[in-house]
Amino acid sequence: MIEMHGATTGNGSGLFPDPAASATAVVDGRGIVTGWSTGAERLLGYPYQDVVGRPAARLLGLDPDAEDVLSAVLDGRSSTAVLRHRDGQRIEVRLRAFSSLDGEGKAQQLVVATAPDRPELRAATTTEEAFTQCHLPLMVFDSELRALRASAGAVRELALSEEQLSGRRVTEIMPPHICQAVEEGMRRAFRTGKPEQFHVRGKARPTARERVWSITVSPLKTPTGQVRRVQLTALDVTEQHLARERLALLNDVSTQVGSTLDVMRTAQEMADVAVGWLADFVTIDLLDSLFRGVEPTPSATGAVALRRAAQQSVLPGVPEALIRPGDVDYYPQSSPPARCLATGRPSLHRAVDEAIKDWQAADPKRSWVVQTFGVHSIMVIPLRARGITLGVGVFVRHRRQEPFQDDDLLLAEEIGARAAVAVDNARRYTLERTTALALQRSLLPRRFAAQDAVEAAYRYLPARTRAGLGGDWFDVIPLSGARVALVVGDVVGHGLRASATMGRLRTAVRTLADVDIPADELLVHLDDLVTHLAAEEDPTTDPGAEPALDTTTDLIATCLYVVYDPIERRCTAASAGHPPPAVATPDGTAHFVDVSPGPPLGVGGLPFETAEWQLPEGSLLALYTDGLVEGTRRDLDKGLTLLRRRLERPAQSPEAVCEDLIQTLLPAQPQDDVALLVARTRVLDASQVATWDVPSDPAAVAGARAEAQARLAAWRLSDVAFTAELVISELVTNAIRYGQPPIRLRLIRDAALICEVSDSNSTAPHLRRARVFDEGGRGLLLVAQFADRWGTRHHAQGKTIWAEIAC
């Protein structure tokens, strides 16, 4: 099998072979084998204990003349013989014997087996040389899983000689917990005849560093296919394994860091990913301005103040930390984190470096951490994104014995770069959200204008999603005749664009409400405005315009406009694709008003319809956007049903109703903006309203003025009697002169005194500048000067000119 040559000893005679290198056996005078060399064991495969003490002729069992051949050899004549290998293979060798005496002086023969010079035998010799000199760890095991051979690579890695390895199991050579699976695989290879492969992580010897090995167990078969041995090959794949782990870690950073647009959460995700595999303790410190969403402005001199965004440790409770997340930490100007922040360059340190010693001297608390936990290796990396340094990350090892290497620093830099982009995205989102929220709050009403028609309360909740703020809005607008307009709208989309559009629409609604046009007509004008806005924002209409990040030009919005008249207890509503208003009456019933939804604003060219209904005093009106009733947890129908049921509860104040609906219908983090407006209706008593029909005769002005004076006296409004008399005179005179009968005068005592004159002529009056000698043309000018507000509203029967006088 192996070593089939007859090398001689170096005694100069060349008569005796070297027993350590040749296949030799010692045979006594009775023909019994008393000695068996390692070379003989390699040649025939029989171990020492299987041969010694047995007849030598058995080794020639394949030769029919075995006894004669052995006798000839022992008589000193060389002879060719066919020996039998343990696995049944035929081996042709030349045998020669040398006479000698044993330790007791008895005659014995040293039998030497040499192989003829044949190509296949020379190949076997080459194979043996290749095996013994192989630099890879390579071993051969028998059926009892004990080592038979070991290559030079195995001897080098295990720091044991081949003789020391011989006869030992793999679990006796290395720690059992490392190679238990390998030994199980060797058994399967014997049983199935198929190779097995494993990855083992550990130390090949106590003084070696931990490495990762790819172990292959291959069965060695006889020509008949029987597995007689197994071969174990070990390949060091530590670098490939580390590279895969680095890639996996970077993939984790990409998938796990930045899952939210929250600066603190993003930093914590980075620390969580890095601890355990790369470091034992990690801190992430960011410039304080980041938490407000503004551009970072590091300190130019003195200690650097950074806010702790995240920290994590392999030890429970993060005992290495000196502060908690959210607190400010101060770094001396000469410390590695401060230099890293100033230069934007990473650094790798040992605990014995001068930079670390100086840092400890300037910061006794941090020195205590280094000494207590045995910190021995430190990395400091900048968190840079888009050319801006946002903060620093500090990576520490104190449990893992291996210090950080340059490859670890490169990996930490890559982690920091990817995390910094996520942090900067969160910062930019915070800035945009803060800006949009400030814009939205400036555009939404902070308080309602004084009016007595309803008692109103509202809630506005911005969405807590990446999409940003939406375009929901609401308003309560006092109208003429003690009426009030309740408005809720929603611009489709999110972000600054939606907020800005919302502000423009709310302003337009207030302007149109001041004109006092009907609800359906108001929505028509609003629809035209949205269409014009969309055309203005379309980049295709401006060839020189810069391309925008958001190329969406479609503007779609919904709006519900409700007018309540406290004198007639009548509601008039029109809807542009908005959810219907809910009404809860004092008797405890609630329902949704059947208002035709109409098309959303921005569709253009389609009409809107109005709905009218009476309301008992003390009824609740609830106007809302779809974010209140629709979400990921339920569909629109279920949300509307729940809203109706909550409104059927016992009578509560509008504030209490708002709070109840928000707590009941919404999750902690709403996915869409929510605007809710709840109003309890009031009714003006008949004693607060006075109405007279006025004949179309200039002489009737005096009578109207006298009746008005009497009513003002009854209302104890003598302080404004003169002003009211003047305003009434001018309004009635204009109606008689320029209007058409019937003419009606109405006084309303509300928060202010309201004077109204109606006629059937739809022509609207207007102010004009009268010349010096003109006899008329000053009536409306006087009304405008003496009244706090005045205006005209049109209706199916004509028009009404009104004026308000503060009481």
Side-chain angles (χ1 to χ4, degrees):
M1 173 174 148
I2 305 172
E3 294 271 4
M4 296 185 290
H5 61 278
T8 58
T9 62
N11 57 7
S13 65
L15 296 178
F16 293 96
D18 180 3
S22 304
T24 61
V26 179
V27 181
D28 63 10
R30 298 174 300 163
I32 302 301
V33 178
T34 60
W36 190 251
S37 71
T38 302
E41 182 176 345
R42 293 174 179 172
L43 178 64
L44 299 181
Y46 292 101
Y48 177 88
Q49 59 270 21
D50 290 352
V51 177
V52 173
R54 299 188 179 187
R58 290 189 178 182
L59 300 176
L60 305 174
L62 299 177
D63 196 323
D65 301 322
E67 294 292 343
D68 294 338
V69 172
L70 183 60
S71 297
V73 171
L74 295 180
D75 288 342
R77 300 189 300 275
S78 63
S79 176
T80 300
V82 178
L83 303 183
R84 181 178 62 189
H85 193 274
R86 185 178 183 181
D87 61 9
Q89 181 183 359
R90 296 169 178 267
I91 301 177
E92 183 179 351
V93 298
R94 178 170 294 279
L95 298 178
R96 186 176 181 183
F98 300 89
S99 299
S100 64
L101 299 176
D102 62 10
E104 298 178 358
K106 297 179 180 180
Q108 62 180 10
Q109 298 289 333
L110 179 64
V111 181
V112 180
T114 59
D117 188 15
R118 288 162 43 188
E120 61 271 22
L121 296 180
R122 287 200 305 272
T125 301
T126 303
T127 301
E128 169 64 15
E129 292 174 350
F131 181 92
T132 56
Q133 298 178 29
C134 180
H135 71 282
L136 294 176
L138 182 65
M139 297 183 69
V140 176
F141 293 82
D142 62 17
S143 59
E144 296 180 356
L145 307 185
R146 297 193 177 277
L148 297 177
R149 299 296 310 279
S151 68
V155 169
R156 182 186 66 253
E157 293 294 342
L158 298 173
L160 296 173
S161 66
E162 188 172 8
E163 288 74 16
Q164 291 174 315
L165 294 172
S166 180
R168 300 173 68 179
R169 297 170 63 151
V170 66
T171 52
E172 297 172 350
I173 299 171
M174 297 179 67
H177 71 277
I178 297 177
C179 294
Q180 192 69 43
V182 176
E183 198 166 85
E184 293 295 329
M186 294 167 65
R187 291 191 181 94
R188 286 194 297 273
F190 269 109
R191 185 171 61 254
T192 65
K194 297 180 181 180
E196 299 274 343
Q197 191 168 12
F198 310 89
H199 278 82
V200 174
R201 185 167 189 165
K203 297 180 179 180
R205 57 184 184 275
T207 58
R209 68 183 181 90
E210 185 178 79
R211 285 186 285 178
V212 179
W213 301 90
S214 176
I215 306 295
T216 302
V217 176
S218 304
L220 301 178
K221 302 178 181 179
T222 65
T224 61
Q226 183 180 4
V227 180
R228 302 297 299 272
R229 306 279 190 274
V230 292
Q231 176 181 279
L232 186 148
T233 307
L235 182 64
D236 185 358
V237 294
T238 304
E239 291 303 320
Q240 296 91 320
H241 180 77
L242 292 177
R244 284 194 299 269
E245 284 193 335
R246 291 188 181 101
L247 289 175
L249 183 60
L250 291 177
N251 182 65
D252 290 342
V253 172
S254 300
T255 57
Q256 299 179 23
V257 178
S259 61
T260 66
L261 287 174
D262 179 83
V263 173
M264 294 284 284
R265 181 58 192 164
T266 300
Q268 188 61 52
E269 288 169 346
M270 173 185 172
D272 293 342
V273 168
V275 162
W277 191 91
L278 183 60
D280 298 327
F281 174 55
V282 173
T283 63
I284 308 297
D285 296 322
L286 302 175
L287 293 167
D288 187 59
S289 55
L290 287 175
F291 297 90
R292 300 188 301 273
V294 300
E295 291 291 332
T297 53
S299 174
T301 58
V304 177
L306 297 174
R307 191 170 297 277
R308 179 64 47 85
Q311 56 192 21
Q312 189 57 275
S313 171
V314 295
L315 302 178
V318 197
E320 309 97 322
L322 296 174
I323 61 174
R324 297 174 300 178
D327 294 342
V328 176
D329 201 358
Y330 295 90
Y331 293 95
Q333 191 173 9
S334 61
S335 64
R339 290 203 303 270
C340 176
L341 190 66
T343 63
R345 299 192 186 95
S347 57
L348 177 62
H349 305 275
R350 303 289 185 266
V352 296
D353 292 352
E354 288 299 324
I356 302 300
K357 289 183 177 179
D358 293 343
W359 187 11
Q360 293 184 65
D363 193 340
K365 291 184 178 179
R366 204 160 263 109
S367 176
W368 176 86
V369 171
V370 172
Q371 300 299 327
T372 302
F373 294 95
V375 173
H376 61 84
S377 190
I378 301 169
M379 290 189 301
V380 182
I381 62 167
L383 300 179
R384 289 181 58 82
R386 303 176 179 95
I388 302 174
T389 302
L390 309 175
V392 294
V394 179
F395 295 70
V396 172
R397 279 185 180 175
H398 53 69
R399 286 294 179 266
R400 189 181 303 190
Q401 297 179 359
E402 298 85 0
F404 289 119
Q405 304 295 331
D406 290 337
D407 288 344
D408 296 321
L409 184 62
L410 292 175
L411 177 60
E413 279 189 88
E414 183 65 24
I415 294 174
R418 297 191 183 193
V421 171
V423 170
D424 193 51
N425 288 340
R427 175 188 71 85
R428 290 168 178 261
Y429 167 76
T430 301
L431 177 59
E432 180 176 341
R433 178 180 173 80
T434 302
T435 303
L437 190 58
L439 172 63
Q440 200 166 44
R441 285 175 176 169
S442 68
L443 297 175
L444 291 172
R446 297 188 179 183
R447 64 180 62 87
F448 294 140
Q451 50 80 36
D452 290 332
V454 295
E455 176 191 359
Y458 68 91
R459 291 292 186 275
Y460 173 77
L461 276 71
R464 295 287 182 178
T465 63
R466 293 190 178 193
L469 296 175
D472 293 15
W473 91 91
F474 60 92
D475 211 342
V476 176
I477 307 172
L479 301 178
S480 64
R483 297 168 305 137
V484 66
L486 307 175
V487 191
V488 168
D490 183 2
V491 177
V492 176
H494 294 81
L496 287 173
R497 180 172 179 264
S499 297
T501 303
M502 174 272 291
R504 299 167 84 172
L505 293 183
R506 177 174 174 260
T507 302
V509 169
R510 292 193 71 93
T511 301
L512 293 171
D514 284 342
V515 178
D516 221 338
I517 59 179
D520 54 345
E521 187 177 342
L522 181 144
L523 292 183
V524 170
H525 287 288
L526 205 60
D527 181 49
D528 291 340
L529 173 63
V530 173
T531 302
H532 294 155
L533 291 177
E536 290 176 1
E537 294 185 4
D538 188 351
T540 60
T541 61
D542 184 3
E546 292 290 335
L549 293 177
D550 183 6
T551 59
T552 303
T553 58
D554 291 339
L555 279 179
I556 301 295
T558 65
C559 181
L560 176 62
Y561 187 81
V562 178
V563 176
Y564 173 66
D565 187 338
I567 298 175
E568 300 180 0
R569 296 185 292 106
R570 178 182 290 112
C571 278
T572 304
S575 172
H578 203 83
V583 173
T585 54
D587 61 2
T589 61
H591 65 281
F592 294 101
V593 180
D594 185 14
V595 179
S596 177
L601 301 175
V603 174
L606 297 175
F608 299 94
E609 299 180 11
T610 59
E612 292 188 5
W613 68 96
Q614 294 287 126
L615 278 179
E617 182 179 2
S619 297
L620 278 178
L621 274 170
L623 285 68
Y624 51 90
T625 55
D626 57 0
L628 180 71
V629 293
E630 189 175 19
T632 57
R633 299 187 304 174
R634 59 174 178 265
D635 58 24
L636 179 60
D637 290 338
K638 291 183 178 178
L640 291 174
T641 301
L642 183 57
L643 171 61
R644 179 178 54 79
R645 291 176 179 173
R646 299 306 297 182
L647 291 175
E648 290 175 344
R649 294 162 58 85
Q652 303 176 71
S653 68
E655 279 288 342
V657 173
C658 282
E659 190 64 26
D660 177 69
L661 294 179
I662 293 297
Q663 295 295 329
T664 306
L665 274 67
L666 292 180
Q669 299 290 333
Q671 299 299 306
D672 194 7
D673 285 24
V674 175
L676 172 64
L677 179 61
V678 176
R680 185 178 300 281
T681 62
R682 294 169 177 165
V683 174
L684 290 184
D685 189 80
S687 62
Q688 296 178 265
V689 181
T691 305
W692 300 274
D693 289 328
V694 180
S696 183
D697 182 356
V701 175
R705 193 166 49 236
E707 292 186 7
Q709 287 178 338
R711 179 56 59 138
L712 293 178
W715 285 342
R716 298 180 180 179
L717 295 179
S718 56
D719 292 342
V720 297
F722 175 77
T723 303
E725 180 182 352
L726 176 63
V727 169
I728 292 170
S729 294
E730 295 299 333
L731 293 181
V732 172
T733 300
N734 278 346
I736 294 173
R737 180 177 297 179
Y738 303 108
Q740 295 178 1
I743 300 172
R744 175 171 294 180
L745 169 63
R746 185 169 72 165
L747 298 182
I748 304 171
R749 182 185 180 184
D750 194 15
L753 175 64
I754 303 172
C755 305
E756 295 184 344
V757 177
S758 304
D759 68 85
S760 60
N761 189 348
S762 59
T763 303
H766 60 278
L767 287 173
R768 66 183 180 89
R769 183 179 297 276
R771 295 180 177 86
V772 176
F773 297 105
D774 288 349
E775 296 182 359
R778 298 178 179 84
L780 289 181
L781 179 61
L782 291 174
V783 171
Q785 294 298 316
F786 284 93
D788 293 284
R789 292 199 313 153
W790 77 280
T792 303
R793 67 174 181 268
H794 292 79
H795 42 77
Q797 293 77 28
K799 68 176 181 298
T800 298
I801 305 176
W802 57 270
E804 289 186 3
I805 303 171
C807 295

